[in-house]
Amino acid sequence: MTPELIVAVLSGAAGAFAGLSKALSNFNKRLESRFEAIERDLDSFQDRVIHDYVLKEDFLREMQAVHTKLDRILDHLLTVGKH
């Protein structure tokens, strides 16, 4: 093998490696960006679910309290009506 051929092969290999390295770097950046977007969406969804669940549970608790008060008023009216 001549020195020129060895230099040409090494030069081509270095060029191919640089191209492959750049492509892999771009892929990693796109992948990282995609995962960050998914993570943001998941965080947002989690915040909404927690907020909505707490509001729903608070509403149900308050409605149960209203029903309990109405039941006591009805019981009182029925008791007063018997006397």
Side-chain angles (χ1 to χ4, degrees), residues 27-60:
F27 176 75
N28 283 341
K29 287 178 185 176
R30 284 196 327 251
L31 192 60
E32 183 178 324
S33 173
R34 181 75 176 143
F35 276 119
E36 287 173 354
I38 290 171
E39 188 175 31
R40 279 192 307 273
D41 290 346
L42 185 59
D43 288 343
S44 174
F45 177 71
Q46 183 180 12
D47 291 342
R48 282 194 325 256
V49 166
I50 290 171
H51 181 259
D52 292 347
Y53 176 78
V54 168
L55 289 178
K56 180 180 176 184
E57 288 300 309
D58 286 345
F59 175 76
L60 292 174

